[in-house]
Amino acid sequence: MKKGEYIKVLGLWLLVALISPQVKPRRYEGGLSKNIQAKEEMNHSALGIVLGEFRTSLSDMFYMQTENFLHYGVAFVPHEHEKHSEASEMVSEWTEVDDEAGEDEHAMHEGHDHEHIVDHDEDVHGEGHEGHEGHGHEHEELTVIPSAEHDFRAWVGEMHRAIKPWQAPGEAHRVASDAEVVPLFRMMTLADPHYVKGYQVGAYWIQQLDAEAASKFLAEGLQNNPDSFELYLMRGMLHLKQARSLGEKGQINEDNVEQRAVLLKAKADFQKSAALMLQVRPAQEIVDDEDQILWSEVQETDAMAATHLSVLLEQRVGDPEQAKRLAKEYSAAMPDHKKLTKLLQEGP
Amino acid sequence: MNRFTQMAWLIRGVMIEVLRRQMLWILFLVMGGYALVSLAVRQQGMDGVGAASFMLNLGLYMAGMLAQLLTALLALRQFPSEMENRTIYPLLAKPLDREVLVLGKWLACSLGGWLVYVMFFLLAWLCAPKVENLSGGLLMQLLMIQPLLLAWVSAFSLAVSLCFPRGVSHAMVIFMLFCGDAICQWGAEKWPVFNALPRFGSVDLATRFTDGIGAVPWGESLWMFAYVCLWIVLSLDVARRLFVRRAL
């Protein structure tokens, strides 16, 4: 080929390469396997039982693997955990104790952080106390292999319980160490870059080992899911933790320049999260309906945390008047948010 | 004989070859297996949202993938086999313009793949349990992009088959067909040069369709169509230049 022809071909190839990043028809939120009702059906459908774990997408399969791993191989029936105020609870501890005894004594404990983040994820981490052997459950979870009283298979059942990991009802719940689940989260998000829960929960586990890596992981999640309010909330939480790590004994001091800079980043993330959340959250009457499947309890908890932290940080490191305006705006959409109401009543 | 008649004869020749090859019938057997399972699922009443969507997704994915595979294998063997068997000499002695030969082969392979896709698509659509609330707009986009995707696979395979030895070209095309998109996604973040790789999987709308997502917005779909069309032009241009200057 002549030189001019080479240039033409290379020019065309360059054009194709430039267009390539614009082609993302598979960039969308959710999907059938993330719909609560559809997931429920999958877990109970005859086809699901026949096809086992291959019934769902690859990332769902990895997610189930994390569950098995964290429960020492004991397979639990998909379940909803007991009701908890999750992130809001953690936030309230942070703020209320601050109010009473001064913030220096009330750094956000890692345990709280953990509870918060792990509680996002209902099925995988249970009560989320990794490494806490023998942490008890307030309720009884059913294992896939039934107990002797509920098993019609007699000696076959006995053998099944003996050779497979199994846990008797009422026995203390144990959750395995975290480090080895990290590759599973990496794989599930590679398999499905729109698996927000994978990024959210994965970032929690990764940040325990390497905060920088967790931050990169979340950045990737946000690049693939720019409209996910959960991921902005998560990144805000990481910033919050980073701010604590900069203070003495994990304390937060807004006058500390370094901490303040990080808190401002956290504030921006919480406010972005709250703004995105308000765009997708259904009306309050729908959220209140127990039978609705549009908005899960976990999403509502995240929503509460995002709005509360957004107002709280605006109050502390931003403009108190703006904080009040935000609190009013959020309260209008979430009239049941007690923490916000309280903040509004207290004023700046 | 004008150019169109020449192309029509070429298409006819390739179609006869498709029917004579075992490959087509093996693929039909695979789709037949899917159809049987799918019908059994319907018969047993396992047609909840999850199961129905899973079966339809599997069927549409298989229809697309098998048609692409057939197109690629068909296109990959066109020139190397003709040259090896020396059947290309009588063809060119007709006389047949080399450019017409490339275009005719490309059209024939694309058409063969598309016909197979239509049959497989109908089989999947009719046998899978019914899924509610699917986007009609997206279905239209899916059916519009699929012939272009097959034309791209065909043009790319022809170009690669003229560049590399038979084994290498087969491995390369099949690898890009199944892993091109994943490799590109993995590498492009660090090295933008990865964007230059063909991402056949990026325009596969079957999963988006069965996930119950709406049609791709106009802006995005224009990028998508432009991307595929440019790849077709690029591949055909490379194939044409390589073949026209080739010493036979």
Side-chain angles (χ1 to χ4, degrees):
Chain A
M1 279 198 286
K2 288 175 191 168
K3 196 179 172 186
E5 290 179 338
Y6 274 118
I7 293 172
K8 272 183 200 167
V9 170
L10 283 175
L12 204 55
W13 203 346
L14 185 70
L15 192 61
V16 168
L18 288 174
I19 291 181
S20 179
Q22 309 296 328
V23 181
K24 287 182 175 174
R26 289 195 287 175
R27 188 172 118 175
Y28 51 83
E29 283 292 327
L32 207 72
S33 70
K34 289 104 195 175
N35 174 301
I36 303 169
Q37 190 189 28
K39 199 154 63 177
E40 196 68 16
E41 280 192 37
M42 277 185 186
N43 285 331
H44 294 100
S45 74
L47 188 73
I49 292 160
V50 171
L51 294 177
E53 290 178 344
F54 285 100
R55 70 197 188 276
T56 57
S57 66
L58 197 61
S59 42
D60 281 333
M61 198 175 91
F62 285 129
Y63 203 77
M64 285 184 260
Q65 285 301 319
T66 62
E67 183 178 18
N68 281 349
F69 174 82
L70 288 162
H71 290 117
Y72 290 101
V74 180
F76 285 93
V77 172
H79 56 276
E80 292 287 329
H81 286 288
E82 68 270 29
K83 293 196 184 301
H84 29 224
S85 53
E86 301 178 351
S88 305
E89 202 168 88
M90 180 271 293
V91 177
S92 73
E93 271 191 46
W94 183 51
T95 54
E96 281 168 13
V97 182
D98 273 356
D99 293 344
E100 286 163 19
E103 61 199 87
D104 287 354
E105 296 169 22
H106 309 289
M108 180 172 69
H109 299 163
E110 293 216 358
H112 296 156
D113 193 1
H114 187 174
E115 273 175 23
H116 154 61
I117 295 160
V118 166
D119 285 349
H120 285 186
D121 165 40
E122 296 169 7
D123 288 341
V124 175
H125 311 300
E127 298 351 284
H129 291 261
E130 90 288 5
H132 291 203
E133 302 275 329
H135 173 68
H137 261 235
E138 288 173 23
H139 67 301
E140 201 170 285
E141 284 170 11
L142 288 176
T143 49
V144 171
I145 304 173
S147 60
E149 299 87 66
H150 298 104
D151 196 346
F152 65 91
R153 298 174 301 166
W155 63 272
V156 178
E158 284 297 330
M159 198 166 71
H160 200 181
R161 280 185 291 280
I163 60 172
K164 295 285 275 183
W166 181 72
Q167 182 180 304
E171 224 175 72
H173 194 73
R174 296 189 309 153
V175 182
S177 149
D178 50 355
E180 288 160 58
V181 292
V182 169
L184 287 172
F185 286 105
R186 174 69 281 188
M187 283 155 76
M188 78 178 73
T189 50
L190 276 178
D192 180 0
H194 307 293
Y195 205 83
V196 170
K197 197 159 66 170
Y199 279 113
Q200 197 181 4
V201 183
Y204 167 71
W205 290 110
I206 296 171
Q207 59 95 28
Q208 294 192 12
L209 308 167
D210 181 352
E212 186 69 23
S215 185
K216 278 185 188 166
F217 188 61
L218 268 183
E220 181 197 302
L222 280 166
Q223 194 185 359
N224 292 325
N225 308 278
D227 300 329
S228 161
F229 83 90
E230 292 97 335
L231 294 185
Y232 278 103
L233 171 67
M234 190 68 198
R235 195 167 73 174
M237 296 301 296
L238 279 189
H239 284 317
L240 211 54
K241 193 177 175 190
Q242 190 194 349
R244 291 188 179 285
S245 68
L246 293 171
E248 283 177 30
K249 295 176 188 172
Q251 299 151 357
I252 281 189
N253 176 11
E254 290 96 345
D255 298 329
N256 179 325
V257 181
E258 279 184 26
Q259 278 188 314
R260 192 179 177 84
V262 181
L263 285 174
L264 284 172
K265 283 186 194 170
K267 185 189 83 165
D269 277 337
F270 291 137
Q271 289 186 356
K272 176 85 180 167
S273 171
L276 288 171
M277 179 277 297
L278 288 178
Q279 287 173 19
V280 292
R281 184 178 181 270
Q284 187 64 43
E285 54 269 26
I286 296 176
V287 175
D288 289 341
D289 181 0
E290 285 185 5
D291 297 328
Q292 59 90 14
I293 51 159
L294 295 170
W295 194 248
S296 70
E297 197 185 327
V298 177
Q299 281 175 305
E300 182 63 2
T301 306
D302 284 350
M304 285 180 158
T307 48
H308 191 199
L309 284 165
S310 169
V311 174
L312 200 68
L313 283 186
E314 187 65 52
Q315 220 174 43
R316 298 234 174 148
V317 291
D319 175 10
E321 281 304 317
Q322 171 68 3
K324 205 172 175 181
R325 277 194 292 274
L326 283 175
K328 271 186 192 166
E329 184 193 336
Y330 299 151
S331 289
M334 306 170 77
D336 290 350
H337 198 329
K338 288 174 188 163
K339 302 270 189 283
L340 275 184
T341 317
K342 196 178 170 193
L343 278 176
L344 261 177
Q345 284 166 356
E346 285 168 357
Chain B
M1 231 184 343
N2 64 24
R3 284 184 163 212
F4 292 106
T5 319
Q6 287 174 340
M7 278 194 211
W9 278 105
L10 282 170
I11 291 171
R12 187 172 174 270
V14 174
M15 289 302 160
I16 291 171
E17 190 190 333
V18 171
L19 291 173
R20 282 180 184 164
R21 296 261 148 213
Q22 288 175 345
M23 176 82 179
L24 178 70
W25 307 111
I26 293 170
L27 297 185
F28 261 110
L29 273 179
V30 173
M31 269 317 273
Y34 160 79
L36 281 179
V37 172
S38 206
L39 287 173
V41 165
R42 281 180 82 162
Q43 182 67 26
Q44 294 303 310
M46 302 180 205
D47 48 6
V49 178
S53 143
F54 173 82
M55 288 312 296
L56 183 62
N57 181 257
L58 186 65
L60 295 188
Y61 175 78
M62 278 174 71
M65 199 34 87
L66 295 182
Q68 285 170 37
L69 195 64
L70 179 88
T71 310
L73 294 179
L74 198 61
L76 277 168
R77 66 184 310 281
Q78 288 304 315
F79 287 114
S81 295
E82 297 266 23
M83 285 187 238
E84 203 176 285
N85 301 332
R86 296 172 184 271
T87 47
I88 200 150
Y89 298 113
L91 263 181
L92 291 173
K94 289 280 182 188
L96 193 64
D97 194 327
R98 286 194 182 197
E99 288 186 357
V100 174
L101 187 60
V102 173
L103 271 179
K105 293 274 185 195
W106 166 67
L107 267 179
C109 296
S110 313
L111 195 65
W114 185 69
L115 287 176
V116 168
Y117 177 75
V118 170
M119 284 186 271
F120 286 178
F121 176 87
L122 288 175
L123 202 62
W125 187 263
L126 296 174
C127 295
K130 288 283 160 282
V131 184
E132 302 292 330
N133 302 323
L134 292 176
S135 161
L138 186 59
L139 178 63
M140 216 170 76
Q141 286 177 333
L142 170 71
L143 293 176
M144 278 164 70
I145 197 82
Q146 205 63 38
L148 284 177
L149 176 58
L150 292 168
W152 175 17
V153 171
S154 164
F156 183 75
S157 306
L158 283 177
V160 172
S161 74
L162 287 166
C163 282
F164 300 98
R166 193 185 282 242
V168 178
S169 61
H170 275 66
M172 191 184 271
V173 169
I174 290 172
F175 180 76
M176 292 317 294
L177 215 54
F178 287 96
C179 313
D181 192 29
I183 295 283
C184 182
Q185 275 188 28
W186 169 77
E189 231 173 73
K190 291 175 188 167
W191 305 287
V193 71
F194 273 73
N195 284 317
L197 293 175
R199 297 165 53 208
F200 298 104
S202 69
V203 291
D204 177 16
L205 300 176
T207 302
R208 182 185 172 106
F209 178 63
T210 53
D211 268 356
I213 309 295
V216 182
W218 278 109
E220 275 184 47
S221 61
L222 277 179
W223 282 121
M224 200 170 70
F225 281 98
Y227 177 70
V228 177
C229 290
L230 274 175
W231 259 113
I232 294 173
V233 172
L234 174 66
S235 307
L236 271 182
D237 193 43
V238 171
R240 183 184 65 87
R241 286 175 200 280
L242 286 171
F243 187 62
V244 166
R245 283 174 173 71
R246 195 169 187 119
L248 292 170

